[in-house]
Every structure is written in structure tokens, then in C-alpha cells.
């Protein structure tokens, strides 16, 4: 069975359109499927639309609802866990593979069939990459390219053009669900686990309704969180800057000693103040980076769940918790 995992936050207007569009495509192709909506604590009628459609119109549609907004990453993993279990705790009725797709249909759903065919040929991860980024501002495109370059140079994982639009084999889903970490980055982790991978390209489509929920400030926080959560690049950057300034200090020290023994007065009060300000700023920046990493460690070692499920279209409603390695 093919599971379609759709994270949704305040997508009440697009729930029915996404469900109808994807269902029609898969039913015409005679694919055994289910659609799982993960409601990330929406404040509109998203959950009502999921429940009504799941209960009255299409028995293949299921849903889970968070107790509050935990973020898209948590919603993706909640959907994958629900897909693997197949509506019960035994997991016997779980999916054979799953596709993660956005609710706004900017990921073309027609591509699901091509991804599914590649999976049947033996590929365990089918990754949809953006051939173009659609209608985005130059600043946003520059920010995205910079982020992906940093991730590639620091982690060795190429995320250029990557998206959350992926098909995952059941083995890959199980591997991801077994990861104990709470601060997750789905795009990078789905590449990190490995497995036989195929790539297909797509063009980003316009949203069917509304506007994106991602502001520039949210994207910036998302990028910083994922860079620090998946790589140690910022710490290496501070080390490199420290080495550069050490070389600069040695050169300046030699120049000062040469001037002193040559009988020239050592002038440059403004230079001393400027150097103190630069060094002080670098020290504070370094302490801030170390503090940020410590805060990430603090969040991880508290062993809180990635998310809490408040409601479900299944008979049993439970709070889902990530597996802990504490005490092992």
C-alpha cells in the first residue's frame, strides 16, 4: 500500500482540493493507497475538513491532530509513524512505501505515479528536486542557495534544489522513525540514512489557495536551527576566524617590535580601540554560537516527545513519543 503523508497547518481551504486531486490520480492508476493528513495544530477549519472527509466521503483518508503547533518537521514524522503503523499498534497493516507532499499542491501530485514506478523498479528513496524555484524574490533565492551551499560544504549532503517531496520505502521509514533525536531535519536525514536513491525533477507550481505560512524570519530561524542541528560548521567558522586573527596579531606584533627597536614611537590609539572592539565582538559571537549549541543539547537531553497527538481519526488516540536511548 502507498501512503500519502500531507503535513498541514491552517490549510482548511486546500484540504479537500488536495484530497480530491491525489485520490483521483491514484484511483485512475489502480494504486492501493491511503492519505494521512498531519494537522500541525491549525487554528482554522483544517481538522474539521479532515474529519468530515475521512468519516463521510473517503475511508482511505486518515488524520492526526497535534495538541499545538509543533512545526512541519514534527508533522512529517507523525505522518510517517502513522503510515508505518497502518492504524494500529502492531504495524502489520502498515504501508509498503510513503510519499511526503505539501498540502498546497506546489508539489505536482502527477509526479507520484512516476515516483511509485521507480520504487517498483527497486529504488528505496525517490527524491523530487526542484528544476526551478518558481516565483520567489531574489533575496529568498540568494538565501536558499547560501543555505544549501553551507549544508553541502559542512555535511557533504547535497540539498541543492531539494524538497520535502519524497517517496520512501518502508525500510527507510522504519530507519527514520528509529532515530532518537528530537530536533529533526527531514530533507537532510532522508539523505543521511542512505539507501538506493533515484532523483526526479519538477517545477514548483503556484499555490491553489492563500499564501505561504513561511515568513523570512521563520525561514531564517529554520535555516539556523538546521545548520546547527545537523552540522558543526559555525564552530569551525569561529576556529578559522580565530586562526586568521592570530596570524594578524603575530604580524602586527612583529611590526610593533620592529618600530620600537628602530626608535620610532608606537602610535595608533584608534587602532588599539578598533582591535579591542573587533576582538570583543568575535569573542561574544563565539560565546553566542557555543550557547546556541548548548541550548540544542539541553533540548535533546530533556527527552520530551517530538509532538503530542491530541486527536486521531483512528479509534485509539494516544500521545506519540519518540524512542529514548536514555539509560541504555
Amino acid at each position: 500500500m502507498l501512503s500519502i503523508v500531507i503535513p498541514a497547518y491552517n490549510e482548511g481551504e486546500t484540504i479537500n482540493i488536495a484530497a480530491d486531486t491525489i485520490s483521483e490520480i491514484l484511483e485512475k492508476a489502480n494504486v492501493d493507497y491511503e492519505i494521512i493528513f498531519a494537522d500541525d495544530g491549525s487554528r482554522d477549519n483544517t481538522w474539521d475538513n479532515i474529519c468530515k472527509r475521512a468519516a463521510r466521503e473517503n475511508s482511505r483518508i486518515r488524520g492526526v491532530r497535534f495538541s499545538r503547533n509543533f512545526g512541519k518537521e514534527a508533522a512529517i514524522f507523525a505522518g510517517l509513524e502513522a503510515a508505518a503503523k497502518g492504524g494500529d499498534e502492531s504495524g502489520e497493516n502498515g504501508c509498503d512505501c510513503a510519499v511526503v507532499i505539501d498540502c498546497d499542491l506546489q508539489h505536482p501530485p502527477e509526479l507520484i505515479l512516476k515516483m511509485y514506478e521507480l520504487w517498483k523498479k527497486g529504488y528505496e528513496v525517490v527524491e523530487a528536486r526542484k528544476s526551478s524555484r518558481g516565483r520567489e524574490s531574489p533575496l529568498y533565492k540568494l538565501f536558499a542557495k547560501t543555505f544549501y551551499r553551507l549544508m553541502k560544504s559542512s555535511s557533504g549532503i547535497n540539498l541543492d534544489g531539494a524538497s520535502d517531496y519524497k517517496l520512501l520505502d518502508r525500510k527507510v521509514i522504519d530507519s527514520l522513525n528509529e532515530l532518537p533525536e528530537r530536533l529533526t531535519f527531514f530533507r537532510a536525514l532522508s539523505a543521511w540514512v542512505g539507501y538506493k536513491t533515484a532523483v526526479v525533477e519538477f517545477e514548483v507550481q503556484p499555490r491553489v489557495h492563500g499564501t505561504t505560512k513561511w515568513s523570512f524570519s521563520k525561514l531564517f530561524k529554520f535555516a539556523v536551527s538546521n545548520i546547527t542541528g545537523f552540522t558543526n560548521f559555525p564552530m569551525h567558522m569561529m576556529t578559522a576566524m580565530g586562526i586568521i586573527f592570530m596570524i594578524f596579531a603575530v604580524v602586527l606584533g612583529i611590526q610593533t617590535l620592529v618600530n620600537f627597536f628602530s626608535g620610532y614611537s608606537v602610535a595608533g590609539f584608534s587602532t588599539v580601540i578598533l582591535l579591542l572592539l573587533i576582538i570583543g565582538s568575535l569573542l561574544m559571537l563565539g560565546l553566542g554560537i557555543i550557547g546556541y549549541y548548548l541550548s540544542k543539547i539541553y533540548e535533546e537531553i530533556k527527552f520530551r516527545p517530538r509532538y503530542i497527538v491530541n486527536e486521531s481519526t483512528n479509534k485509539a488516540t494516544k500521545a506519540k513519543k519518540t524512542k529514548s536511548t536514555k539509560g541504555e
Side-chain angles (χ1 to χ4, degrees), residues 93-306:
N93 299 320
C95 66
D96 298 310
C97 60
V99 170
V100 178
I101 186 173
D102 284 354
C103 190
D104 55 20
L105 297 184
Q106 287 191 291
H107 296 159
E110 298 82 8
L111 199 60
I112 294 175
L113 295 179
K114 184 176 181 180
M115 299 166 77
Y116 186 63
E117 289 300 320
L118 287 170
W119 171 75
K120 289 197 293 184
K121 290 179 180 179
Y123 291 98
E124 295 159 320
V125 177
V126 182
E127 179 180 355
R129 289 183 176 248
K130 303 172 185 175
S131 58
S132 66
R133 300 195 61 88
R135 298 179 181 178
E136 292 179 350
S137 66
L139 179 62
Y140 186 96
K141 290 182 179 180
L142 176 62
F143 180 78
K145 288 182 179 180
T146 303
F147 169 70
Y148 290 137
R149 285 175 183 172
L150 287 175
M151 287 294 298
K152 183 178 180 180
S153 61
S154 57
S155 67
I157 297 176
N158 183 14
L159 295 179
D160 188 24
S163 69
D164 293 327
Y165 194 11
K166 301 177 187 292
L167 181 146
L168 307 174
D169 184 80
R170 176 61 182 269
K171 291 189 296 184
V172 184
I173 296 171
D174 291 340
S175 295
L176 289 172
N177 285 334
E178 288 173 0
L179 294 176
E181 58 203 75
R182 281 127 185 88
L183 303 175
T184 56
F185 184 23
F186 174 68
R187 295 183 196 182
L189 287 174
S190 58
W192 178 85
V193 293
Y195 295 100
K196 188 177 180 181
T197 303
V199 175
V200 295
E201 292 189 344
F202 73 96
E203 292 186 3
V204 178
Q205 305 298 310
R207 286 180 59 92
V208 293
H209 274 295
T211 58
T212 179
K213 309 301 185 297
W214 290 90
S215 63
F216 185 80
S217 61
K218 286 184 179 180
L219 286 171
F220 182 78
K221 291 178 181 178
F222 179 76
V224 171
S225 176
N226 290 323
I227 288 175
T228 55
F230 208 81
T231 76
N232 52 11
F233 169 77
M235 288 190 172
H236 288 316
M237 180 187 68
M238 290 306 302
T239 302
M241 293 178 68
I243 293 173
I244 292 172
F245 271 84
M246 182 183 69
I247 296 172
F248 176 72
V250 170
V251 173
L252 186 61
I254 293 173
Q255 180 188 18
T256 302
L257 290 174
V258 169
N259 289 337
F260 177 78
F261 288 112
S262 299
Y264 295 101
S265 60
V266 181
F269 180 76
S270 300
T271 303
V272 173
I273 295 298
L274 183 61
L275 287 173
L276 287 175
L277 290 173
I278 293 174
I279 294 172
S281 299
L282 284 174
L283 289 174
M284 295 303 295
L285 178 61
L287 288 174
I289 291 174
I290 294 172
Y292 194 82
Y293 272 96
L294 287 175
S295 70
K296 293 294 182 182
I297 296 172
Y298 175 66
E299 291 179 26
E300 288 283 354
I301 64 175
K302 285 189 290 189
F303 293 98
R304 289 178 181 172
R306 290 176 184 161

